[in-house]
Amino acid sequence: AKRTIRQFNSCISTNTKTDGVFTSSNRKEKTQSTKTVTETAPPRASPVCPPAAAAIRVLRGHQHSVTCLVVSPDDKFIFSAAKDGSVIKWEVESGKRLCVVPGGKKGTEGQHMGHTAHVLCIAISSDGKYLATGDRNKLILIWEAATCKRLYTFTGHRDAVSGLSFRKGTYQLYSASHDRSVKVWNVEENAYLETLFGHQDIITGMDSLSRECCVTSGGRDGTVRFWKIPEESQLIFYGHQGSIDCIQLINEEHMVSGADDGSVALWGLAKKKPLALVRQSHGTQGSAQDLQQPYWVSAVAALLNSDLVATGSHSGCVKLWKCGEGFQKLEPLCDIPLIGFVNSLKFSSTGDFLVAGIGQEHRLGRWWRVKEAKNSICIIPLKCRAEAPGPMAADCA
Amino acid sequence: MLVWDSFCPLLLTSMLFPSFRPVETSAKKPMPFLRQVVPVTKKVHRDPRFDDLSGEYNPEIFMKTYSFLDTIKKQEKEMVQKQLKKCRNMEQKEKLQQLLNRMTQQEQAQKKQQKRRERELTLKRQQRELAKQGKKPFFLKKSEKRKLELAEKYAELKRSGKLESFLNKKRKRNAVKDKRRLPTQKNL
């Protein structure tokens, strides 16, 4: 931890006018922001302090690798799901498990309340009412987030459901699946709306914000597609070389994605190629000098309406990045050491902490197994950096 | 962009302002299951007989450049003859015999064509000489050319002594053909 702080100190810009709170000035959620920056100025992240190893809270409870997680909009609860089909509701402050829905054995779909196959994706509505989970059995289960009671089941996909996302402010659910289609559902009315086609390989990730649009990453077909649902059209973006495994929207116009060749790309909706591309972001692994393979990027997260991006892999750390001016560059900020496969990353809505879902295996398969890792979720506090470096350094250390 | 297109053609605008925007397509068309992973180039088939690259056909040049094929044909014919001698199987023997016949007939046809060409050449030479000497060049009719051919044929046959048999065969063939022309019982 000391070494990282020293590195961080050396590259920090002396911006003495920053607040104590970590936010960028023009994030819409923050109303009490002190700076009033014009809308044309790019969002700026105040320097993030890498937390000490002791400050990272590890919450254990899943028996198998955690595959996906989501933070409730009020930052009080975390819902996570694992490869054994279990879904757990955690309380952030105390770290206790509030509800546990265990995974069932294969073949007990009729009787069992939860999932009986690997849960691949999870999503929560923006008011925290409904929770949706999708698994390898082609089912989408809708739960009431407060009580963890199962409400509905959506069938219709013809292969594993790999991406779920609610439209902010509504109960419209978008689901993406390995059968290459995107389906639109209305959870409140328990209705299916429509299906969209276009991907030529399995869809590996999905995200949406408040517009009636969603973005999906298409695995080996090498495309990221932006779906305009009312117009029934799609925008196709190319740029990654490997299989695109994860994607997140930063704001309504930009998104970040990660691929299995280690590259992380920053996209803008106006350009078909990425605005910024970082190759081998987590380094390479391999026994010999010639057999070096890049670490796969298994999860990306972006703090909404800011310029902070986090990427996770099984290289032993979660990397934080800062988007440059106008999202044209991606600069590394710091590393947070975490052993295991980082299968999911989510920022809290205020940006106070980052949650990582750790597993011994990759969420989609069993290529490697990291024995030293614990199947858990880790809450990483993201602290601010105040003006005086002296007391703060002591604080961080 | 619209103003530009009205003045310049679409190609020019696309060259001047290459599009960096993402492609927008319909989201409602189901995708085929198989996807093209590696670009496969289509094989362009060309027939050298009708291709411009092969050039124009000149029989003299053709004969000269491909004269090596005659030796190969001879060798093949010898091979077939040997095989025919060795062969026991009746079917295969028939096939080989047919092949041999085909080969010999092709050879004879080639020789005939060669002779025809030579005759043409001699005629042309004669004409040129006559023209040189100052006399008017005259051109033979097709029927007259055929008569000359027939005369040559008869001379050849007489030399080899097969004239009688050839004439008999011809008489028989003509008789059968004429009989066909006669009115039959039905038409009476």
Side-chain angles (χ1 to χ4, degrees):
Chain A
K2 262 192 193 166
R3 194 155 59 124
T4 48
I5 292 169
R6 221 178 285 143
Q7 273 177 352
F8 166 75
N9 282 340
S10 64
C11 67
I12 204 70
S13 59
T14 50
N15 188 357
T16 52
K17 291 214 179 116
T18 51
D19 261 342
V21 186
F22 166 73
T23 38
S24 69
S25 320
N26 63 347
R27 284 185 61 230
K28 292 182 189 147
E29 331 283 286
K30 235 9 200 138
T31 48
Q32 270 79 44
S33 170
T34 49
K35 269 196 201 173
T36 47
V37 180
T38 56
E39 268 164 37
T40 49
R44 299 187 61 226
S46 45
V48 177
C49 192
I56 300 175
R57 285 194 290 160
V58 177
L59 308 178
R60 297 180 65 182
H62 282 292
Q63 251 137 27
H64 217 298
S65 302
V66 174
T67 48
C68 49
L69 57 84
V70 76
V71 184
S72 70
D74 50 10
D75 288 350
K76 288 205 182 127
F77 308 108
I78 298 172
F79 295 87
S80 64
K83 266 193 183 180
D84 55 359
S86 57
V87 178
I88 299 182
K89 178 179 178 182
W90 310 82
E91 198 184 343
V92 172
E93 267 192 60
S94 56
K96 273 203 299 188
R97 281 167 269 172
L98 297 178
C99 306
V100 176
V101 181
K105 286 216 182 112
K106 205 162 79 163
T108 58
E109 283 89 27
Q111 302 95 4
H112 189 68
M113 250 299 122
H115 287 282
T116 52
H118 297 182
V119 180
L120 291 181
C121 48
I122 193 169
I124 192 166
S125 59
S126 54
D127 59 357
K129 188 169 168 196
Y130 292 112
L131 180 78
T133 50
D135 66 1
R136 277 204 190 265
N137 265 339
K138 315 162 197 173
L139 298 173
I140 302 170
L141 300 186
I142 309 292
W143 313 78
E144 202 183 312
T147 56
C148 283
K149 200 176 68 146
R150 194 175 85 176
L151 297 173
Y152 314 120
T153 309
F154 288 151
T155 54
H157 273 298
R158 291 158 88 181
D159 204 344
V161 181
S162 53
L164 280 176
S165 182
F166 273 94
R167 186 184 164 196
K168 273 192 160 49
T170 66
Y171 293 128
Q172 212 177 49
L173 176 68
Y174 304 126
S175 69
S177 157
H178 284 191
D179 66 2
R180 309 146 182 215
S181 65
V182 172
K183 289 195 193 262
V184 183
W185 316 80
N186 190 320
V187 170
E188 214 179 6
E189 289 152 30
N190 190 11
Y192 155 80
L193 293 173
E194 62 186 317
T195 309
L196 304 161
F197 303 97
H199 270 294
Q200 293 181 317
D201 193 26
I202 61 166
I203 303 177
T204 47
M206 172 182 233
D207 196 18
S208 66
L209 285 179
S210 44
R211 284 196 290 189
E212 205 176 344
C213 303
C214 62
V215 69
T216 54
S217 57
R220 285 249 162 247
D221 78 352
T223 60
V224 164
R225 287 172 202 245
F226 183 84
W227 305 89
K228 293 184 187 166
I229 291 152
E231 291 129 49
E232 289 180 359
S233 73
Q234 52 180 308
L235 298 173
I236 307 175
F237 301 86
Y238 300 91
H240 275 294
Q241 273 178 339
S243 163
I244 311 177
D245 281 343
C246 39
I247 188 154
Q248 271 257 290
L249 281 164
I250 307 172
N251 55 35
E252 297 278 8
E253 300 294 319
H254 299 94
M255 50 234 187
V256 61
S257 64
D260 74 349
D261 62 349
S263 56
V264 178
L266 201 52
W267 307 84
L269 287 186
K271 206 172 146 201
K272 70 179 174 198
K273 296 258 172 195
L275 300 172
L277 185 70
V278 177
R279 293 211 171 87
Q280 297 187 350
S281 51
H282 282 256
T284 53
Q285 59 173 338
S287 45
Q289 191 69 336
D290 308 323
L291 298 174
Q292 293 287 317
Q293 291 291 317
Y295 278 108
W296 298 2
V297 177
S298 46
V300 282
L303 184 53
L304 186 61
N305 293 332
S306 79
D307 59 356
L308 187 64
V309 168
T311 58
S313 178
H314 58 111
S315 60
C317 61
V318 167
K319 292 200 180 219
L320 291 175
W321 309 78
K322 180 181 134 104
C323 306
E325 294 279 318
F327 294 96
Q328 298 290 333
K329 269 192 299 177
L330 206 55
E331 290 145 2
L333 272 181
C334 57
D335 289 1
I336 302 166
L338 262 175
I339 302 171
F341 275 89
V342 179
N343 282 329
S344 183
L345 280 173
K346 282 271 156 47
F347 279 99
S348 68
S349 44
T350 52
D352 288 333
F353 56 89
L354 170 66
V355 191
I358 312 289
Q360 288 187 331
E361 298 163 357
H362 193 279
R363 65 187 170 97
L364 293 174
R366 260 190 177 170
W367 296 278
W368 300 277
R369 189 161 167 258
V370 179
K371 282 193 201 154
E372 302 86 34
K374 311 271 181 237
N375 299 323
S376 54
I377 66 168
C378 296
I379 304 180
I380 304 156
L382 295 171
K383 276 188 281 202
C384 54
R385 179 160 160 75
E387 293 109 71
M392 208 55 214
D395 209 351
C396 283
Chain B
M1 241 6 105
L2 279 171
V3 177
W4 267 103
D5 281 342
S6 63
F7 290 125
C8 336
L10 200 64
L11 185 63
L12 191 60
T13 53
S14 62
M15 279 167 67
L16 285 176
F17 306 104
S19 66
F20 299 112
R21 302 195 130 262
V23 174
E24 184 156 356
T25 47
S26 161
K28 281 300 192 173
K29 288 202 210 122
M31 281 285 129
F33 187 76
L34 297 173
R35 126 179 92 99
Q36 199 189 46
V37 182
V38 179
V40 179
T41 49
K42 272 189 179 171
K43 279 194 192 157
V44 179
H45 299 283
R46 42 178 286 267
D47 194 337
R49 295 176 293 176
F50 306 111
D51 206 358
D52 289 331
L53 275 175
S54 317
E56 295 294 319
Y57 172 62
N58 192 341
E60 287 180 16
I61 300 175
F62 183 84
M63 298 286 287
K64 276 193 201 153
T65 51
Y66 293 105
S67 54
F68 66 93
L69 285 175
D70 298 331
T71 47
I72 298 175
K73 278 186 189 162
K74 255 194 211 170
Q75 284 170 4
E76 284 185 351
K77 194 173 168 191
E78 282 167 24
M79 268 169 58
V80 172
Q81 279 171 341
K82 273 194 209 158
Q83 276 215 337
L84 192 63
K85 266 195 216 169
K86 270 200 233 165
C87 188
R88 310 267 171 233
N89 189 0
M90 285 317 294
E91 266 189 49
Q92 214 183 356
K93 218 169 182 174
E94 263 180 59
K95 279 190 184 166
L96 282 170
Q97 188 63 45
Q98 282 174 2
L99 186 60
L100 193 65
N101 291 343
R102 214 183 309 146
M103 285 175 148
T104 43
Q105 280 167 10
Q106 277 178 354
E107 258 189 71
Q108 284 167 2
Q110 278 247 327
K111 280 187 194 149
K112 252 193 193 171
Q113 288 212 338
Q114 182 78 354
K115 275 199 188 140
R116 204 174 287 158
R117 254 177 257 131
E118 278 171 19
R119 228 179 292 127
E120 292 280 338
L121 276 171
T122 49
L123 273 172
K124 276 196 182 157
R125 257 181 243 139
Q126 268 187 346
Q127 307 292 351
R128 246 180 276 154
E129 278 198 30
L130 289 172
K132 256 196 216 168
Q133 283 177 11
K135 295 198 186 154
K136 234 177 153 187
F138 65 91
F139 300 100
L140 287 170
K141 278 199 287 183
K142 243 193 196 169
S143 52
E144 294 196 357
K145 278 193 193 158
R146 248 186 266 146
K147 271 193 204 161
L148 276 174
E149 264 189 53
L150 208 61
E152 265 196 49
K153 202 178 183 183
Y154 274 130
E156 176 73 45
L157 281 170
K158 217 181 192 174
R159 236 183 294 141
S160 56
K162 297 195 187 145
L163 187 64
E164 272 295 323
S165 61
F166 176 73
L167 282 173
N168 282 337
K169 277 191 207 162
K170 196 140 193 194
R171 255 179 244 135
K172 260 197 238 174
R173 237 184 287 145
N174 285 342
V176 171
K177 279 191 188 165
D178 291 334
K179 242 193 207 173
R180 254 193 270 150
R181 296 266 157 74
L182 287 170
T184 51
Q185 283 277 339
K186 276 194 238 173
N187 297 343
L188 277 175

